[in-house]
Amino acid sequence: GKRVAAGAEGRSHEQPVLRDAIEVRSGDAKQVQRDLRGHTGCVNCVSVATDNSQMLSASEDGTVKGWNLHSGDELFTLRGHLAEVYGVDMDAEGHHAVSSSGDSTVRMWDLNTGRNEATFYCESPAAAVSISRDGQNVVLGDEVGRVSFLRLQGINGDLEN
């Protein structure tokens, strides 16, 4: 399998670390297969599709980027957050994603169109997010230690807490 390493410049780490790039390494993690460059800030989180064909990355530059892991090509950029994006995850089929941000929102994205399908407003910055493999549930964690569970049914527009 492949391992993905990302981190911030200057932190002690056994592997070389890049501030604005993602390294895709071989299974033994000794050889870099490619660098994925495109973010203008630290990469905070990555999510790899179950078939290992694509990956999402969340960055302090306020964007989520989609990548083709076979070619290393940037596929798209999702914009809409007003602050650093801390977390990102995609459903098992790679059709939808969720992202969490310092702007106190969690956004749900249609990865086929790039459309922001729904926005959940939190009381504090949303630090982490995960979507269930069936795409029906979202779990998020915020900066005050709260964990929230969302059931996704007929999503269309904004959701308020």
Side-chain angles (χ1 to χ4, degrees):
K2 294 178 182 165
R3 295 184 188 182
V4 179
E9 204 170 40
R11 290 190 186 155
S12 64
H13 198 280
E14 291 181 10
Q15 301 172 358
V17 179
L18 302 171
R19 177 167 170 70
D20 57 358
I22 301 159
E23 294 179 347
V24 179
R25 293 177 173 260
S26 60
D28 61 9
K30 292 181 180 171
Q31 180 180 355
V32 175
Q33 292 181 332
R34 69 182 48 86
D35 287 335
L36 307 179
R37 294 184 181 269
H39 284 293
T40 59
C42 180
V43 175
N44 293 321
C45 184
V46 297
S47 178
V48 178
T50 55
D51 65 0
N52 293 320
S53 65
Q54 66 177 329
M55 181 186 76
L56 299 176
S57 57
S59 174
E60 73 179 5
D61 66 11
T63 67
V64 172
K65 290 189 179 286
W67 305 91
N68 178 312
L69 282 179
H70 301 296
S71 68
D73 293 336
E74 181 180 323
L75 302 173
F76 53 81
T77 300
L78 303 176
R79 292 180 175 84
H81 284 293
L82 303 176
E84 180 170 359
V85 182
Y86 296 124
V88 67
D89 196 18
M90 74 177 88
D91 66 8
E93 292 160 7
H95 297 299
H96 293 91
V98 289
S99 56
S100 59
S101 173
D103 66 4
S104 300
T105 66
V106 169
R107 294 180 181 267
M108 182 170 173
W109 305 92
D110 180 322
L111 295 178
N112 296 314
T113 64
R115 185 173 157 269
N116 179 195
E117 293 185 314
T119 303
F120 177 77
Y121 297 91
C122 307
E123 293 178 15
S124 64
V129 67
S130 183
I131 189 168
S132 62
R133 293 298 144 220
D134 65 6
Q136 297 300 308
N137 300 284
V138 172
V139 181
L140 66 104
D142 65 23
E143 286 191 356
V144 297
R146 185 175 27 239
V147 175
S148 301
F149 299 86
L150 305 172
R151 175 94 175 132
L152 303 176
Q153 293 179 322
I155 298 300
N156 188 7
D158 293 344
L159 303 174
E160 297 211 28
N161 187 359

